[in-house]
Each structure stands twice: as C-alpha cells, then as structure tokens.
C-alpha cells in the first residue's frame, strides 16, 4: 500500500485526537451551567484528557514491540472512540471527566504510533520531510479548528456532539488502518520496564497537574497545591533519567540522544513548542476580553495562523528533502518570533483586525517551516528498530512543552491581570496581554540557538532499489552527514 495512503489514515486519526485537546475549551462555561458545578471542577474535563495523554505515551515504544504497530494503533483508536461515545452520554461532571481520561488513554498512543509507522514508511522512499509535513497538519490546524468547531456545536447543536462527532471518524480510521497499514509481527522479547514506567508516567502527570493548579490560583507556583506536585513529579522524572541511562532495557532509551540530530531536534522542539502553544492561548482571550468578540469570532480571527502554517508546512516539508534542514528551520524560527512580536506590539483595544491577521499569518508561516521539518531532520539518522523509541521521545517532548507553555503563560497573565484589578480599562487589559506575550516570544526565539546545530548539509539520496545492505549503508551515510 502507498505511503500516502498510510499518511492519510494517520492524519485522520491524529486530527481527531488533537481536536479533542482544544475543542472543549469553549464549552467550559456551558458545562458549568449544565452540571451546576464550579469552574475549577469542570476544568478537569480538559486537564484530565491532557494528563491521560502524558501518562500513556511513555509505554508506547514497549507496547509497539509487544503488540505490533498496526494492532496497537487500531486498539488505541478504538479506546479513544469508545471514550468519545461515553463522554457524549455523560450524566454528570464526574462521569464526563472519567470518560475524558479514557479518551486520553487511547488518544495518547495514536500520535506516537502513527509517527513511528510514518517514519518507517517514509524512510523507504526518502521522503521524510514531505510525509512529516502531512503528519504536522493536525498539530497546527487542530488547535485552531477546535475552538471554532466546538463553538459552533455548542451554539447550534449540543455540547454532547463535541464527543459524539468522533464516532464515525474513529470507526472509519480503525477500518482504514486495518486495510492500509503494513502488517508487522509483534516482538515480545523485550520486557516492560515497570520501575521506569512507575517513575516517568506519574512524574509527567504530577508536573502537568501542578502547573495546571498554578495557573488556576493567584499564588502561582507558590501555592503548596501547585509546588508540591511539580517538585515530586520533577524528582520522579530525574530518577527515570538516571535509571534509563544505566539499565539494559529502559522504558525509553535516552541514549538515543547521543545522536546529535535527535538531541538538537528535541531541544529545538521543547523551546519552540513551549513558546508557540503558550502564546496560542492568549489570542482568543485577547479578542474576547479586550475586543469583546464572540467565542466563534475569536476562533475565526485566529485562523490565519493555522491556515498559513498548514500551507507553508507542505512547502517546507518537501523543501527539507532537497536542501540543508538548517536553511528551512532556522529562518522559520526567526520568522515565527517576528510575527508573534508584531501581533503583541499591535494588540491594543482598537488595533486593526487586518494587521493583526497579517501578523498571525507571518507567525504561522514561520511555524510551518519549523515543526515537522525539524522532526524530519531529527529522525533521518534513526533506523527502523529505533523508530518507536525516537517517536515516543519526540512526542513526550512535544506533549510536555505543549502543557508547560500554556500553564506558564497563564501564570504570567493571571499576575498581570491581578495588577489591573479595579481598573478594568481596555487599555490596561491589553497591556496585560502584551506583557504576557513577551515570555512566549523569548521561548520561541531561544529555539534558534539549538537550531544553529541542525545539519547544514543536503539530505543524502535514498536508493530506489537495493537490498538490506544498501539501506544500512544509506542510514550510516545519513548519520555521518548529520554529525
């Protein structure tokens, strides 16, 4: 089956799971009224999903070896679809939160398994950049489309359809994966690193939980409810790192980071995604709070960023297969940071919507040059045997950064808004948002430093025919070229 058919199925499944990360954000207040519970309770409809995503990703590499990528992908999509159906039928806030956790347990494995399958398929054709650019579409379009779709469903249909809409898409994805994914035999010889799993999954969940609690209160990380989980979680993650560097069969082989392309790509992603996803939180809130737009309108006004990113990603993904990756990723980082700075500088109460949209489009263009081209450059030296571990590592990095960024920006914004309490003037509110953007701009621009170490050489050509020896030689040549 063609690589593009495989890519199409993976994009469909990834878009469904990524949409569910943001689609409920616009429905929090309606859900408060529906279930008659505090906002602090209903926020866990979103946070519970994110925590489940982070908790299940570390076991993905082992599970792929144990069950096979094809079987695991179909199982993960089935669990996600089942959780969606139950969430749509929830009868109170507690049941909805529980079913969202079930959704996350399935959805957390969809992206890393899909990425591993894509890496293996794309490597055979030498089209890592082009294929990864397709896989990147859900990551960029999902957060933009989620609030728009969620706002429309809540206003025109019912909040339940935010989840029930996943049923036909999820079932179709499972059927297509069964038909087009290459069959792979399970390799159950590797044992699950249970101590490592018991350190990393709870550790990541605790850090994200603490950061989420910090963004809810005025004390930030100074609150014991936020500081203690972050401290315990960080200690568990450090313990996992120490263990993974010493045991023979770790949960995730961090020794892969000795390969410079992967280490550079992961560091670049950590900084860039932190700044990008953190800043994405602000624009819809700015439009709603400062400009007084509706929820649906705020999602539409932010759409230029996603549209520009998705369009440029297709160009950059193909370009990175032909030119040195550094010449694509580094200018993209600088362009994205410039666009974000231009938006922040103009975010006044009476700013032109056209100029703001142009700034978002400039930022999105830069983002499209960075995200998946960076992953393609990072994974070129990774052979099929290490693809599951590499994709899991990159997905954990992305998930952690995507959680840290919004939590960090939320804390900064809460502090600045507290300083304007009592004034309530649009200019004061706009100033709070503008000041908060600085942190996202700095994190995004800082990604240019590790990006300087991305390969400055053109990708090595992949033989169109040949045996295992040719492929092994090609992988070695790629690794040498990227060093």
């Amino acid at each position: 089956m063609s690589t593009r058919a495989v890519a199409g199925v993976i994009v469909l499944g990834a878009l469904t799971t990524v949409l569910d990360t943001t689609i409920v954000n616009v429905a929090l207040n309606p859900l408060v009224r529906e279930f008659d519970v505090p906002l602090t309770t209903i926020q866990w409809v979103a946070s519970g999903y994110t925590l489940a995503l982070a908790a299940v990703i570390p076991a993905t590499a082992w599970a792929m070896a144990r069950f096979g990528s094809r079987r695991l992908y179909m199982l993960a999509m089935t669990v996600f679809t089942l959780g969606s159906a139950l969430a749509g039928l929830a009868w109170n806030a507690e049941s909805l939160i529980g079913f969202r956790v079930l959704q996350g347990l399935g959805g957390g494995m969809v992206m890393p398994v899909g990425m591993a399958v894509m890496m293996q398929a794309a490597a055979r054709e030498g089209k890592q950049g082009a294929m990864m650019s397709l896989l990147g579409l859900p990551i960029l379009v999902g957060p933009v489309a989620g609030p728009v779709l969620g706002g429309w469903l809540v206003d025109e249909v019912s909040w339940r359809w935010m989840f029930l809409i996943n049923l036909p898409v999820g079932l179709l994805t499972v059927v297509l994966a069964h038909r087009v994914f290459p069959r792979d035999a399970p390799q159950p010889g590797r044992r699950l690193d249970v101590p490592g799993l018991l350190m990393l999954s709870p550790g990541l969940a605790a850090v994200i939980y603490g950061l989420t609690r910090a963004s809810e209160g005025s004390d930030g990380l100074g609150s014991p409810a936020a500081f203690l989980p972050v401290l315990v979680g960080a200690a568990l993650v450090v313990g996992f790192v120490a263990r993974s560097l010493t045991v023979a069969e770790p949960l995730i082989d961090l020794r892969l980071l000795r390969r410079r392309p992967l280490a550079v790509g992961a560091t670049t992603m950590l900084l860039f995604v932190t700044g990008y996803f953190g800043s994405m939180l602000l624009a819809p809130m700015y439009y709603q709070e400062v400009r007084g737009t509706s929820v649906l309108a705020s999602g539409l006004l932010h759409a230029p960023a996603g549209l520009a990113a998705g369009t440029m990603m297709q160009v950059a993904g193909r370009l990175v297969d032909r030119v040195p990756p550094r010449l694509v990723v580094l200018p993209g980082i600088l362009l994205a940071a410039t666009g974000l700075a231009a938006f922040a500088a103009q975010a006044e109460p009476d700013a032109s919507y056209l100029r703001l949209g142009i700034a978002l489009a400039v930022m999105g263009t830069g983002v499209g040059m960075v995200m998946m081209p960076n992953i393609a450059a990072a994974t070129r030296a990774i052979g099929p045997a290490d693809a599951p571990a590499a994709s899991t590592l990159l997905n954990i990095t992305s998930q952690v950064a995507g959680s840290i960024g919004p939590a960090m920006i939320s804390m900064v914004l809460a502090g600045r808004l507290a300083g304007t309490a009592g004034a309530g003037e649009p200019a004061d509110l706009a100033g709070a948002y503008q000041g908060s953007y600085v942190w996202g701009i700095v994190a995004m621009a800082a990604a240019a430093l590790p990006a300087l170490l991305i390969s400055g050489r053109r990708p090595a050509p992949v033989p169109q025919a040949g045996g295992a020896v040719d492929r092994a030689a090609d992988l070695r040549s790629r690794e040498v070229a990227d060093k």
Side-chain angles (χ1 to χ4, degrees):
M1 191 62 65
S2 72
T3 302
R4 287 193 175 274
V6 173
V9 177
I10 293 172
V11 168
L12 183 62
L15 180 60
T16 307
T17 58
V18 172
L19 275 174
D20 266 58
T21 306
T22 58
I23 197 171
V24 301
N25 290 344
V26 297
L28 294 181
N29 285 329
L31 289 173
V32 166
R33 295 191 296 269
E34 173 75 18
F35 295 121
D36 192 23
V37 293
L39 179 61
T40 52
T41 298
I42 214 66
Q43 278 182 329
W44 286 102
V45 173
S47 299
Y49 182 79
T50 304
L51 285 171
L53 286 178
V56 76
I57 288 176
T60 303
W62 170 84
M64 277 191 276
R66 177 65 179 82
F67 303 106
S69 300
R70 178 170 169 269
R71 292 180 181 177
L72 183 62
Y73 188 89
M74 291 190 295
L75 175 62
M77 277 303 305
T78 300
V79 172
F80 172 82
T81 305
L82 176 61
S84 299
L86 294 173
L89 301 174
W91 54 90
N92 56 27
E94 291 75 16
S95 64
L96 180 57
I97 293 170
F99 295 143
R100 283 284 285 172
V101 170
L102 180 63
Q103 264 191 302
L105 293 176
M109 287 193 174
V110 169
M111 195 67 173
V113 177
M115 184 181 291
V117 173
M118 182 79 83
M119 286 167 56
Q120 293 165 344
R124 290 192 292 268
E125 299 184 15
K127 297 180 179 179
Q128 287 93 333
M131 292 300 102
M132 287 298 173
S133 68
L134 292 175
L135 185 57
L137 282 174
I139 298 176
L140 297 176
V141 175
V144 176
V148 176
L149 178 60
W152 179 79
L153 288 172
V154 171
D155 288 342
E156 302 297 332
V157 190
S158 166
W159 65 266
R160 296 183 183 277
W161 279 95
M162 292 191 301
F163 311 112
L164 296 178
I165 198 174
N166 292 331
L167 295 183
V169 181
L171 293 174
L172 177 62
T173 304
V174 172
V175 172
L176 291 176
H178 182 267
R179 291 177 61 88
V180 307
F181 274 24
R183 296 181 181 274
D184 57 332
Q187 300 174 346
R190 181 186 172 195
R191 293 186 301 175
L192 176 63
D193 179 17
V194 176
L197 181 63
L198 294 178
M199 284 190 282
L200 184 57
S201 288
L204 291 176
V207 170
I208 295 173
Y209 173 83
L211 291 174
T212 302
R213 291 299 303 269
S215 65
E216 294 173 356
S218 59
D219 294 335
L221 281 175
S223 167
F227 176 72
L228 291 178
V230 170
L231 181 63
V232 172
L236 288 171
V237 171
V238 170
F240 167 79
V241 171
R243 175 180 173 80
S244 66
L245 295 175
T246 56
V247 299
E249 294 184 342
L251 181 68
I252 300 173
D253 192 359
L254 296 182
R255 286 166 288 209
L256 287 173
L257 292 174
R258 293 173 182 170
R259 303 182 188 183
R260 196 182 78 174
L262 185 61
V264 168
T267 306
T268 302
M269 175 181 288
L270 179 65
L271 293 170
F272 190 82
V273 171
T274 297
Y276 174 61
F277 277 88
S279 299
M280 269 203 346
L281 175 78
L282 295 176
M285 296 175 64
Y286 157 76
Y287 282 127
Q288 293 174 38
E289 298 295 326
V290 179
R291 307 303 296 273
T293 66
S294 67
V295 174
L296 180 58
S298 68
L300 292 172
L301 286 168
H302 197 254
L307 295 175
T311 301
M312 177 50 68
M313 184 176 288
Q314 304 312 303
V315 177
R318 287 158 178 78
L319 190 62
V320 82
D321 285 331
R322 297 178 175 85
V323 303
R326 187 193 304 158
L327 299 184
V328 178
V329 177
L330 185 57
I333 293 173
L334 300 178
L335 188 62
T338 300
L340 183 58
F343 182 90
Q346 300 179 80
E348 300 286 351
D350 57 350
S352 164
Y353 286 122
L354 176 60
R355 292 179 184 176
L356 292 171
I358 292 174
L360 287 176
V362 170
M363 182 193 70
T365 301
V367 170
M369 297 170 63
V370 176
M371 298 286 280
M372 303 315 289
N374 175 58
I375 292 178
T379 56
R380 278 204 173 97
I382 303 298
D386 292 326
S391 68
T392 301
L393 181 62
L394 291 172
N395 271 275
I396 288 175
T397 302
S398 178
Q399 183 64 43
V400 170
S403 300
I404 290 176
M408 178 185 72
I409 295 295
S410 294
M411 283 190 295
V412 174
L413 179 62
R416 290 185 173 272
L417 289 176
T420 66
E425 295 294 330
D428 295 325
L429 293 176
Y433 281 94
Q434 288 176 310
S436 301
Y437 267 114
V438 172
W439 293 85
I441 295 168
V442 170
M444 190 179 286
L449 297 177
L452 289 169
L453 301 177
I454 294 175
S455 173
R457 299 186 182 185
R458 293 182 61 184
V462 175
Q464 297 302 311
V469 175
D470 293 330
R471 295 191 188 94
D474 176 67
L475 286 171
R476 287 195 298 271
S477 70
R478 287 169 184 264
E479 187 169 356
V480 172
D482 280 338
K483 288 183 178 180

